[in-house]
Amino acid sequence: MAAATLRSVLRRNRLLPLFETCRLRDRLFFSSSVDAAAVTVGGTMSPDPHFMVEYLVNSCGFSPSEAAKFSKSLAHLRSTEKPDDVLNFMRSQGFDGAGIRKVISADPRYLCYNVEKNLAPKFQFLRDLGLSESDIVDAILKNNGILHYNVHRYLVPKLEMWESLLGSRELVLKHLKKSRWFFFSSVEKTLQPNLKFLRDECGIPEERVSVVLRSDPKFISQKPESLRALVARADELGMPRQSRMFVRTLVALHNVSKERFEAKVELMRSFGWSESEFSSAVRKSPTFLDTKFMEKFVLPHKENVPELLDILRFAGTCKGNDTLHLASEDEEGLS
């Protein structure tokens, strides 16, 4: 009897750990299953991965395809709090829907910015320069990179440098409102090498360069190798580097592609000019190459000498390109 009772107790004690282990396993399995189901079914722990696509369509006016493209940079967002703040701030600063879309298209990550830390100081910087609300909008639409950079470490030094090059803050602001990217050219990689090349290798004093930059600051912002190529083209025209017209010739060539330049040579040959006569005209008046020549000497006479425009179009067609398409565009703009 006693032996039977002992065996019964031992069996119960040996089975107890196994029982407890199985019960703990079942608890853990049930608990993890419930948690997983809550995430999958309830959906409250992670948002719809496509919610920013819908947001960009409804709040910014992008097309679904545009929104899908731009949302890729915003995949880490888990709410619309920051985008809402950014959009409300930009609207309060005078941006309309089209302007907002242009800025966001340039870099969708602007929607992740902290308004007080990242955006408001840039707008205040521009206001302190004396720009009106509409001027600020224009400046940012042309140079949205303003929103990227720190005011004191980057924007203020850039402003001071361009002031010294152009001679006045007013000119810097004028070009900032209408020009793209000239303001952000690298000092070390672009501006200083170009100025040094013009001064040391071409013999052009910086004061003479500054005079030209006041009307065309983009000229000094081009790649150094591009500037050297322009100098080579000016040399081919026979323009002496010591001439005061040398820099103006470089600017004119900078604004006229090589293909368009060749088309103009062909045009003047059709009038009976020789290549030397063409080069002589450019040396005497480099603006002979700009769009301004068209506006001043050709388009005003289109009524009395309508064949001029036909000659221009024909010259461009013979070259197999549309390098002289400005003739028809200017004609439409003046009508």
Side-chain angles (χ1 to χ4, degrees):
M1 178 78 177
T5 301
L6 179 59
R7 285 195 298 272
S8 176
V9 170
L10 288 174
R11 279 198 301 270
R12 287 200 303 271
N13 288 340
R14 284 198 301 269
L15 290 173
L16 180 60
L18 179 60
F19 172 76
E20 291 295 337
T21 300
C22 292
R23 187 168 64 170
L24 179 60
R25 181 190 64 196
D26 291 340
R27 271 184 190 172
L28 290 173
F29 177 78
F30 178 76
S31 175
S32 61
S33 299
V34 170
D35 290 343
V39 174
T40 304
V41 177
T44 57
M45 296 184 67
S46 62
D48 181 347
H50 302 296
F51 84 105
M52 280 308 299
V53 176
E54 183 179 353
Y55 179 85
L56 291 172
V57 171
N58 295 335
S59 299
C60 302
F62 286 112
S63 69
S65 60
E66 290 172 329
K69 174 184 175 183
F70 298 136
S71 67
K72 293 177 182 177
S73 303
L74 309 171
H76 62 285
L77 290 177
R78 291 294 175 264
S79 78
T80 63
E81 182 179 359
K82 280 190 175 179
D84 284 340
D85 289 345
V86 170
L87 293 180
N88 289 334
F89 176 77
M90 294 187 72
R91 291 178 184 123
S92 73
Q93 301 301 308
F95 281 84
D96 59 14
I100 289 174
R101 284 192 295 277
K102 185 172 182 179
V103 172
I104 301 305
S105 298
D107 191 343
R109 292 172 298 178
Y110 288 135
L111 288 174
C112 307
Y113 275 20
N114 180 296
V115 168
E116 294 303 317
K117 292 181 179 179
N118 304 123
L119 291 181
K122 319 301 173 51
F123 282 78
Q124 188 59 52
F125 166 72
L126 294 173
R127 276 194 294 271
D128 290 344
L129 295 179
L131 294 181
S132 66
E133 182 178 273
S134 61
D135 287 339
I136 292 174
V137 171
D138 290 341
I140 291 177
L141 288 178
K142 288 290 185 182
N143 300 276
N144 67 81
I146 291 172
L147 303 179
H148 275 296
Y149 297 106
N150 180 275
V151 170
H152 298 290
R153 289 198 304 268
Y154 190 90
L155 295 179
V156 171
K158 282 284 187 181
L159 175 69
E160 292 172 347
M161 182 206 65
W162 278 106
E163 271 190 78
S164 67
L165 280 176
L166 302 187
S168 74
R169 176 168 295 187
E170 289 71 23
L171 277 174
V172 178
L173 298 180
K174 173 186 174 182
H175 289 293
L176 188 63
K177 288 185 290 183
K178 67 178 185 179
S179 302
R180 185 182 297 276
W181 293 120
F182 88 93
F183 189 77
F184 302 101
S185 302
S186 169
V187 175
E188 297 78 13
K189 296 180 180 179
T190 303
L191 300 181
Q192 287 181 348
N194 284 344
L195 289 170
K196 186 175 186 299
F197 169 66
L198 292 174
R199 181 187 65 237
D200 297 347
E201 297 187 41
C202 299
I204 305 171
E206 287 189 16
E207 312 85 73
R208 196 176 297 171
V209 175
S210 294
V211 171
V212 173
L213 293 183
R214 289 169 193 168
S215 59
D216 193 351
K218 298 189 298 298
F219 167 71
I220 206 66
S221 302
Q222 61 186 303
K223 295 179 180 179
E225 56 268 29
S226 299
L227 179 58
R228 288 181 177 273
L230 288 184
V231 169
R233 290 172 62 190
D235 289 339
E236 290 174 0
L237 289 171
M239 175 65 73
R241 293 188 178 186
Q242 66 271 21
S243 168
R244 287 185 170 273
M245 301 302 291
F246 188 78
V247 178
R248 295 192 180 277
T249 301
L250 294 179
V251 173
L253 291 172
H254 176 244
N255 292 322
V256 178
S257 68
K258 196 165 185 178
E259 292 76 16
R260 183 171 295 175
F261 177 86
E262 293 297 333
K264 292 191 181 231
V265 172
E266 292 298 319
L267 168 65
M268 301 317 293
R269 279 179 180 159
S270 72
F271 289 145
W273 286 33
S274 67
E275 190 167 336
S276 62
E277 287 173 325
F278 179 85
S279 298
S280 176
V282 173
R283 289 196 299 271
K284 292 177 181 177
S285 179
T287 54
F288 173 70
L289 300 172
D290 294 2
T291 304
K292 291 180 181 178
F293 172 78
M294 294 286 300
E295 294 173 348
K296 188 172 183 180
F297 296 108
V298 177
L299 295 175
H301 307 291
K302 63 184 176 119
E303 298 297 334
N304 297 327
V305 193
E307 60 268 24
L308 272 178
L309 289 175
D310 293 332
I311 293 171
L312 290 170
R313 294 191 188 98
F314 179 75
T317 303
C318 288
K319 291 294 292 181
N321 54 46
D322 61 350
T323 54
L324 290 175
H325 70 285
L326 281 174
S328 58
E329 289 180 354
D330 288 341
E331 181 182 10
E332 293 171 1
L334 294 174
S335 60

